[in-house]
Amino acid sequence: MLIYTLKRLGYGALTVWFIATATFLAMHAVPGDPLLDEKATNPTIRRNLEERYGLDKPLPQQYVLFMGNMLRGDFGISFTQENRLVNDIIRDHFPVSAVLGVLAIVFAAAGGVLWGALTALFRNRWPDVLIMCLAILGMSVPSFVFAALGQLAIIGLNDWAGTPLLPVAGWGTFRHMLAPALVLGLGTMAFLTRLMRSSMLEVMNADYIRTARAKGLPPTRVFLVHQLRNASLPVITILGPAIAAITTGGFVVESIFAIPGLGRYFVEAVQQLDYTVIMGTTVFYGAFLVLMVIAVDIVYGFIDPRIRLQ
């Protein structure tokens, strides 16, 4: 298991290096000038800014400087936010996105496993048809549509109750998290429901399930220990990328619900051509995604020993 883990970590480090290199080259290939504002109209000021950010050096030297700083965990200073380090932006705002993403993935995983198992148990009956129709709807409708509908539903609920049961927007309490987390997790929940249904149907016809039933095991034990555990393996496989995708990809929901997460700053950096923030957050997002995939691979190896042997 140790060799398997070290190999996965090595592949992960190589992937992060490729992401960092590709991001660096892509940002310097994008047309535009990050210093093209009123601060750089004076040639002396512009020259000082270029020297401060290393833009006066040849591209290979900038790359070496960027990689060296990245290895030390230093992503530099923001071009657009005065005297603010990229590390500070990530430290201050990623926890908000992480809390929202973890809560969303809890909703998605619990709902996906539950609804997927129910559709398999009631195959070709009305619960199966109803849940699968809702799952297809959840995968087809964009999250910003669900966000707008969710806000309208909250307004109607508050009006009906005569008191603000749930906030329409903002951040700070657990009540603020419920609606955006549910909206953010709906698409993943729908996908996991379909995946769990297919896996469950495949497991239900396996030989070891017939053997367990023939031995006289209680139906509840057969379902929980043999069917549900083995059917959840594909779900566990994609949970790592799903966690990273939800945590780092909720900027639309964050914007609609006025949540001060990292995604909003990433979008602003792209609009303002803030090199350091774009490269820093992209590398951070990529490393987080790789870490989640490696963690899931390791967990998968513990659950299924055949993975380690291969």
Side-chain angles (χ1 to χ4, degrees):
M1 189 64 191
L2 178 61
I3 297 177
Y4 171 78
T5 303
L6 292 176
K7 288 175 62 177
R8 304 307 296 172
L9 290 174
Y11 292 144
L14 185 63
T15 303
V16 173
W17 169 81
F18 178 80
I19 292 173
T21 302
T23 303
F24 176 86
L25 295 177
M27 287 309 306
H28 285 78
V30 172
D33 188 349
L35 300 179
L36 190 61
D37 58 17
E38 65 278 1
K39 295 182 298 184
T41 53
N42 186 295
T44 303
I45 296 177
R46 181 181 181 86
R47 189 162 52 251
N48 292 336
L49 289 173
E50 289 177 343
E51 182 179 356
R52 179 181 185 182
Y53 293 113
L55 299 178
D56 59 335
K57 298 180 175 60
L59 191 62
Q61 293 186 21
Q62 292 186 43
Y63 174 74
V64 172
L65 181 64
F66 168 69
M67 295 301 294
N69 292 334
M70 188 191 72
L71 290 175
R72 293 193 299 269
D74 180 11
F75 293 114
I77 304 174
S78 170
F79 283 13
T80 58
Q81 301 187 43
E82 186 174 357
N83 294 328
R84 194 174 187 193
L85 297 174
V86 178
N87 294 43
D88 293 338
I89 296 175
I90 295 174
R91 186 188 65 244
D92 294 341
H93 299 284
F94 178 72
V96 176
S97 298
V99 170
L100 179 64
V102 169
L103 190 57
I105 203 65
V106 169
F107 285 153
V113 171
L114 174 62
W115 301 128
L118 285 177
T119 55
L121 292 176
F122 294 95
R123 182 183 182 185
N124 296 329
R125 284 182 276 180
W126 71 264
D128 180 23
V129 176
L130 177 61
I131 294 174
M132 291 311 299
C133 288
L134 293 176
I136 294 174
L137 182 66
M139 295 177 62
S140 304
V141 179
S143 59
F144 65 85
V145 175
F146 282 127
L149 293 176
Q151 288 184 325
L152 290 176
I154 292 174
I155 294 174
L157 177 64
N158 292 341
D159 289 341
W160 174 80
T163 182
L165 297 177
L166 290 176
V168 178
W171 189 257
T173 66
F174 183 72
R175 292 193 305 156
H176 288 89
M177 307 176 190
L178 290 176
L182 182 59
V183 168
L184 187 59
L186 279 177
T188 303
M189 182 189 298
F191 176 75
L192 293 180
T193 298
R194 297 191 62 185
L195 181 64
M196 186 67 185
R197 180 182 185 273
S198 301
S199 180
M200 194 75 174
L201 290 175
E202 183 179 351
V203 168
M204 289 172 67
N205 297 321
D207 292 337
Y208 60 87
I209 298 297
R210 298 192 188 97
T211 303
R213 289 171 178 163
K215 290 170 62 177
L217 293 180
T220 304
R221 179 177 175 81
V222 173
F223 174 75
L224 294 176
V225 177
H226 298 283
Q227 291 181 342
L228 194 62
R229 178 183 177 183
N230 289 281
S232 62
L233 288 177
V235 175
I236 295 174
T237 303
I238 70 165
L239 273 184
I243 292 172
I246 286 181
T247 303
T248 60
F251 57 86
V252 174
V253 175
E254 291 178 5
S255 299
I256 293 176
F257 284 95
I259 298 173
L262 185 58
R264 189 172 68 182
Y265 283 85
F266 178 76
V267 174
E268 292 177 357
V270 172
Q271 295 172 343
Q272 299 169 356
L273 205 61
D274 194 336
Y275 282 178
T276 51
V277 175
I278 295 174
M279 290 190 292
T281 52
T282 302
V283 172
F284 177 79
Y285 282 160
F288 183 72
L289 175 60
V290 169
L291 181 62
M292 291 297 100
V293 173
I294 293 175
V296 169
D297 287 344
I298 294 174
V299 172
Y300 202 92
F302 278 110
I303 296 176
D304 191 347
R306 294 174 296 177
I307 302 297
R308 301 196 299 268
L309 296 177
Q310 294 173 358

